[in-house]
């Protein structure tokens, strides 16, 4: 149960949201518990209140809680109950957006990969298989939310139905079925929908009985007028005020000026509207959780979800924090207390003095990285139940020639008898490469993040057939899915010292080192000089890095560290010229004007 207070009421009036019957303006900020270390939740929530906000909004990622059907994980960083209780403890309210689809630049838009293994499932519509899976999800989730509603003494004042549905479909029966499932699960607070303020999206994405909100980042007066045309009464709300943007690999770091964003917020609040800042604090796409866009070109989202938000990825107040605080103070009380900036992070180097190739690591009798399995055809990663990250494909060829696939999703490094041949990359629309032969053909495939928006949600990952060599089909394959959500124990590399004469590390390989600290604190791991891969601290997957940028650091939350000895391991797929891990004083995100 929540840290309860007296039960209160929250409703939607003719002009305002009503808290205990009195007009109430929602001043909310998006803060995704699943993108922030749980020991830092309270700090981020507190800083939201110090900026003048009264509400925290969060999505719920179905796929993260349910990596396989029948599982609903609420441990550690997925403890939504603890998160909502911390919101209540800060004296703030909460908005919960359980989807089931969330977008959020999150892997598969929050939909579980296993959901799509049935080719008959009908996504985001009133289809029995899909609705049955949602019912199971809500049965596990909704008691957590229901127990923490405002009418039970908790912080939750609104629950959103679906997410930007008007940009995808207009199945009203589906939306009504979601409403029924939420009500059956004990949700009594008002329901909202959100769509961009266009006639088509607002018509398609809502129901008359659901309160419509908008998503936009500028021209508030015009956008609110469109929203009002579709909803003659009730409070106006921008439930995603886009005060920044996300980054994808190979592009610049997106930013907007603080003064410009504050002026847009001022226009919105001057119109009397409620607001949810997207994002107040973005956080990090730890591990293999990032999503991707594909509108003709595949663009996977980077590890940092800094979003150029008021609170930076590392929880520091940035220029928008102070600019937004000044604006909010014109319309609502703002606490006298202000957050203070942290000291620069420690700067030091760690020699990566232990390494082992991926092939040698797989030969270890104690390896937990994965197991080979044979197939008489080319399987997708979804077919073998591997829904994130890396896998090895292997076959033997009798001669060289042009190797081609139907599609590569999303990146494939090709080797023949252990020697690199080349790379096939989805964002370059690569699907063929010339290989010498004969020999053992191995292909390291990386799922770089599942598409989170549009019609390609739920597509299979891996190598998509047919696989042809000079036009002849290759039918016999072995596949080994790599378990890299967290680091397997043997990759601590204690028994694998790197040769002193080795000046670099050639991937795919693991490389690691140790370092001592007196007191845990946030760190910033520089990835300059590294190729492409993932980094781990004390077994925790910090996320992906890539020399393409824009980011040049990975954020290491202080709670991941411990006094004394700590371990860093890198899974490098290309090469590290100088096998040293460098920790720097501040994040380097490659700032460029948006």
């Amino acid at each position: 149960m929540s840290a309860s207070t007296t039960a209160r009421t929250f409703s939607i009036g003719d002009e305002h949201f009503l808290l205990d019957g009195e007009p109430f303006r929602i001043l909310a900020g998006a803060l995704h518990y699943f993108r922030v270390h749980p020991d830092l939740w309270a700090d981020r929530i507190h800083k939201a209140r110090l900026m003048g906000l009264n509400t925290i909004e969060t999505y719920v990622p179905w796929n993260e809680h349910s990596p396989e059907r029948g599982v609903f994980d609420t441990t550690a960083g997925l403890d939504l109950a603890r998160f909502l209780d911390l919101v209540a403890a800060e004296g703030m309210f909460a908005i919960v957006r359980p989807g089931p689809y969330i977008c959020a630049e999150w892997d598969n838009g929050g939909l579980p990969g296993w959901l799509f293994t049935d080719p008959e499932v009908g996504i985001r519509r009133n289809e029995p298989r899909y609705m049955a899976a949602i019912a199971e999800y809500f049965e596990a989730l909704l008691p957590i939310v229901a127990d923490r509603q405002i009418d039970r003494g908790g912080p939750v004042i609104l629950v959103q139905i679906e997410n930007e549905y008007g940009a995808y479909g207009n199945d009203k029966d589906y939306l009504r079925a979601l409403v029924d499932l939420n009500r059956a699960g004990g949700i009594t607070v008002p329901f909202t929908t959100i769509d961009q303020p266009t006639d088509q999206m607002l018509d398609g994405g809502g129901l008359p009985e659901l309160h419509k909100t908008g998503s936009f980042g500028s021209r508030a007066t015009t956008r609110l007028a469109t929203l009002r045309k579709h909803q003659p009464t009730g409070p106006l709300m921008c439930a995603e005020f886009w005060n920044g943007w996300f980054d994808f690999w190979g592009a610049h770091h997106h930013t907007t000026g603080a003064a410009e964003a504050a002026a847009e917020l001022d226009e919105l609040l001057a119109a009397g509207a409620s607001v949810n800042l997207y994002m107040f604090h973005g956080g990090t796409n730890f591990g293999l959780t990032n999503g991707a866009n594909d509108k003709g070109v595949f663009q996977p989202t980077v590890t940092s979800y800094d979003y150029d938000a008021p609170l930076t990825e590392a929880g520091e107040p940035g220029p928008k924090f102070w600019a937004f605080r000044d604006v909010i103070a014109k319309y609502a009380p703002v606490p006298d207390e202000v957050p203070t900036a942290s000291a620069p992070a420690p700067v030091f180097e760690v020699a990566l003095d232990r390494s082992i190739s991926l092939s040698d690591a797989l030969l270890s009798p104690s390896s937990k990285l994965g197991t080979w399995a044979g197939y008489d055809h080319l399987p997708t990663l979804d077919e073998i139940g591997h829904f994130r990250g890396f896998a090895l494909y292997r076959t033997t060829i009798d001669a060289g020639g042009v190797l081609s696939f139907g599609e590569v999703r999303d990146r494939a490094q090709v080797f023949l008898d252990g020697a690199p041949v080349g790379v096939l990359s989805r964002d370059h629309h690569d699907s063929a490469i010339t290989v010498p032969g004969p020999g053992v053909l191995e292909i390291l495939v990386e799922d770089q993040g599942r598409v989170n928006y549009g019609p390609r949600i739920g597509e299979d990952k891996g190598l998509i057939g047919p696989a042809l060599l000079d036009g002849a089909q290759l039918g016999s394959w072995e596949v080994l899915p790599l378990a890299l959500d967290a680091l397997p124990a043997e990759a601590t590399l204690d028994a694998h010292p790197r040769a002193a004469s080795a000046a670099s590390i050639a991937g795919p390989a693991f490389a690691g080192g140790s370092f001592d600290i007196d007191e845990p604190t946030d760190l910033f791991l520089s990835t300059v000089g590294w190729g492409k891969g993932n980094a781990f601290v004390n077994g925790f997957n910090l996320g992906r890095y890539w020399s393409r940028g824009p980011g040049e650091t990975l954020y290491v939350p202080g709670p991941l560290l411990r006094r004394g000895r700590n371990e860093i391991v890198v899974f490098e797929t290309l090469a590290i010229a100088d096998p040293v891990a460098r920790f720097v004083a501040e994040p380097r995100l490659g700032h460029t004007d948006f």
Side-chain angles (χ1 to χ4, degrees):
M1 292 292 292
S2 64
S4 62
T5 59
T6 304
R8 307 176 70 179
T9 64
F10 190 85
S11 60
I12 295 175
D14 290 339
E15 298 182 37
H16 306 284
F17 292 110
L18 301 175
L19 177 63
D20 297 328
E22 297 297 323
F24 179 78
R25 190 205 295 255
I26 296 172
L27 298 170
L31 170 57
H32 299 158
Y33 61 98
F34 47 94
R35 282 182 158 125
V36 179
H37 192 285
D39 290 351
L40 299 175
W41 288 344
D43 172 78
R44 305 324 192 228
I45 294 167
H46 181 62
K47 287 172 179 172
R49 186 176 65 80
L50 296 189
M51 199 179 78
L53 302 182
N54 55 31
T55 304
I56 296 294
E57 175 270 311
T58 187
Y59 282 127
V60 179
W62 182 9
N63 58 352
E64 202 67 12
H65 285 280
S66 298
E68 57 186 88
R69 192 161 193 170
V71 170
F72 195 77
D73 184 4
T74 57
T75 61
L78 295 174
D79 191 347
L80 176 60
R82 176 189 172 196
F83 179 78
L84 293 175
D85 290 348
L86 287 171
V87 172
E90 190 63 41
M92 300 181 74
F93 300 103
I95 299 171
V96 179
R97 301 206 279 173
Y101 165 76
I102 64 171
C103 185
E105 291 73 59
W106 188 258
D107 186 57
N108 224 27
L111 299 177
W114 52 259
L115 186 65
F116 299 85
T117 55
D118 181 348
E120 302 301 319
V121 72
I123 300 305
R124 301 185 75 186
R125 58 186 174 88
N126 192 29
E127 188 277 321
R129 298 168 187 82
Y130 181 51
M131 297 309 300
I134 295 172
E136 294 172 13
Y137 164 45
F138 279 3
E139 184 178 4
L141 168 69
L142 293 182
I144 297 170
V145 180
D147 282 351
R148 289 164 176 81
Q149 294 176 109
I150 191 168
D151 56 4
R152 301 191 195 182
V156 178
I157 56 175
L158 293 172
V159 169
Q160 183 179 289
I161 299 297
E162 243 277 352
N163 188 56
E164 296 180 318
Y165 187 62
Y168 183 88
N170 60 0
D171 185 344
K172 305 300 185 181
D173 289 339
Y174 168 53
L175 295 178
R176 290 190 178 94
L178 290 178
V179 170
D180 291 344
L181 285 174
N182 274 277
R183 289 296 185 216
I187 303 302
T188 55
V189 297
F191 292 140
T192 62
T193 59
I194 184 171
D195 284 288
Q196 295 180 46
T198 70
D199 292 337
Q200 178 267 317
M201 293 187 190
L202 288 170
D203 283 340
L207 296 171
E209 60 267 34
L210 301 179
H211 190 70
K212 295 179 173 67
T213 69
S215 55
F216 54 86
S218 62
R219 295 165 41 214
T221 303
T222 301
R223 268 66 186 267
L224 291 174
T226 303
L227 183 59
R228 178 57 78 203
K229 182 176 69 172
H230 288 260
Q231 186 163 260
T233 64
L236 293 168
M237 182 173 184
C238 178
E240 279 192 19
F241 176 73
W242 300 328
N243 51 257
W245 208 245
F246 56 92
D247 295 337
F248 58 91
W249 295 110
H252 62 277
H253 174 53
H254 295 76
T255 63
T256 53
E260 173 190 351
E264 299 286 1
L265 177 62
D266 200 358
E267 180 183 346
L268 177 66
L269 296 183
S274 288
V275 68
N276 175 49
L277 304 176
Y278 194 96
M279 300 287 298
F280 165 69
H281 172 57
T284 307
N285 294 316
F286 293 117
L288 305 164
T289 59
N290 65 278
N293 280 340
D294 193 333
K295 301 176 182 179
V297 177
F298 181 66
Q299 296 175 329
T301 307
V302 305
T303 299
S304 171
Y305 201 65
D306 175 81
Y307 217 86
D308 195 36
L311 209 65
T312 70
E313 182 183 10
E316 298 296 322
K320 286 179 183 171
F321 183 97
W322 306 109
F324 285 10
R325 190 175 188 274
D326 288 344
V327 170
I328 292 169
K330 295 168 59 175
Y331 302 94
V334 171
D336 293 333
E337 180 188 352
V338 296
T340 57
S342 300
V347 176
F348 59 97
E349 295 184 354
V350 179
L352 300 178
D353 54 7
R354 289 157 285 165
S355 65
I356 185 173
S357 69
L358 174 59
S359 57
D360 285 346
L362 293 173
L363 292 174
S364 170
S366 61
S367 175
K368 298 179 183 177
L369 289 169
T371 303
W372 290 102
Y375 300 87
D376 60 3
H377 64 286
L378 182 71
T380 67
L381 297 185
D382 294 64
E383 182 180 341
I384 65 175
H386 188 58
F387 300 116
R388 278 185 183 164
F390 297 83
L392 276 169
Y393 284 71
R394 182 169 69 187
T395 191
T396 300
I397 56 176
D398 297 327
V402 176
L403 175 68
S404 66
F405 300 95
E407 192 175 352
V408 172
R409 299 180 189 158
D410 302 307
R411 180 180 170 86
Q413 294 175 241
V414 182
F415 303 85
L416 187 69
D417 290 335
V421 175
V423 176
L424 298 172
S425 181
R426 174 175 176 175
D427 61 349
H428 293 162
H429 300 283
D430 297 332
S431 61
I433 190 171
T434 301
V435 296
V440 177
L441 181 72
E442 285 190 328
I443 305 172
L444 177 62
V445 178
E446 181 184 1
D447 156 20
Q448 294 182 278
R450 291 176 182 264
V451 172
N452 55 255
Y453 186 88
R456 299 197 73 153
I457 292 173
E459 63 183 5
D460 284 357
K461 287 289 191 174
L463 297 177
I464 311 301
L468 305 176
L469 184 65
D470 279 350
Q473 187 157 331
L474 296 174
S476 179
W477 290 86
E478 292 180 286
V479 183
L480 185 150
L482 287 175
L484 288 179
D485 284 336
L487 194 67
E490 74 275 5
T492 53
L493 311 175
D494 288 335
H496 304 282
R498 181 173 55 85
S501 60
S504 63
I505 295 171
F510 295 96
S514 303
F515 61 97
D516 293 309
I517 57 172
D518 295 329
E519 193 69 30
T521 186
D522 287 358
L523 300 176
F524 302 100
L525 173 63
S526 173
T527 60
V528 174
W530 297 357
K532 188 179 194 308
N534 283 67
F536 305 77
V537 167
N538 293 334
F540 181 87
N541 193 331
L542 298 175
R544 309 178 202 255
Y545 64 85
W546 197 356
S547 58
R548 291 178 68 174
E552 295 181 349
T553 53
L554 290 175
Y555 172 55
V556 185
L560 292 178
L561 303 172
R562 51 195 177 229
R563 291 186 181 90
R565 181 58 52 95
N566 293 264
E567 301 287 336
I568 178 171
V569 173
V570 173
F571 176 57
E572 172 61 55
T573 64
L574 297 176
I576 296 178
D578 182 13
V580 173
R582 294 179 172 86
F583 292 92
V584 296
E586 59 186 13
R588 298 173 184 170
L589 300 176
H591 286 272
T592 307
D593 290 339
F594 180 35

